[in-house]
Amino acid sequence: DSVVFSLVPNANVKNPDNKELLKLMQRLFLHRRKTILNCLNNIVGDKVKTEQILKLLGTNPQLRPELLDINFYICLLTHNLLLVYKSY
């Protein structure tokens, strides 16, 4: 089974860099059935730091990426939370 999704601009969501958002989304949705903790850990490279990021954002680490709001991903980018730890 496969899933295809498309991103449609939403005037209510403020995102300064759509290319970076797309790049992040591609990395996080690369592997099916992974939790957001495991997906982000692939980028950050340190599980403790990944857990700190999720705690800072008030996000359950056991959620799957498809269950999170677009604002979660924009928040990761706008606050440079991933860039602090490792370039993706």
Side-chain angles (χ1 to χ4, degrees), residues 26-77:
Q26 288 172 330
R27 289 283 307 271
L28 293 176
F29 284 87
L30 187 60
H31 302 288
R32 285 181 52 164
R33 309 288 303 149
K34 278 197 169 190
T35 64
I36 192 64
L37 174 65
N38 290 327
C39 291
L40 283 177
N41 189 48
N42 287 338
I43 296 171
V44 176
D46 182 322
K47 198 164 193 171
V48 172
K49 290 179 182 178
T50 304
E51 289 171 338
Q52 290 172 345
I53 291 170
L54 292 171
K55 185 176 181 179
L56 178 69
L57 295 174
T59 302
N60 180 342
Q62 298 308 310
L63 290 177
R64 304 214 182 276
E66 63 270 16
L67 297 176
L68 296 168
D69 184 277
I70 187 70
N71 290 315
F72 168 81
Y73 300 105
I74 292 172
C75 195
L76 283 174
L77 290 174

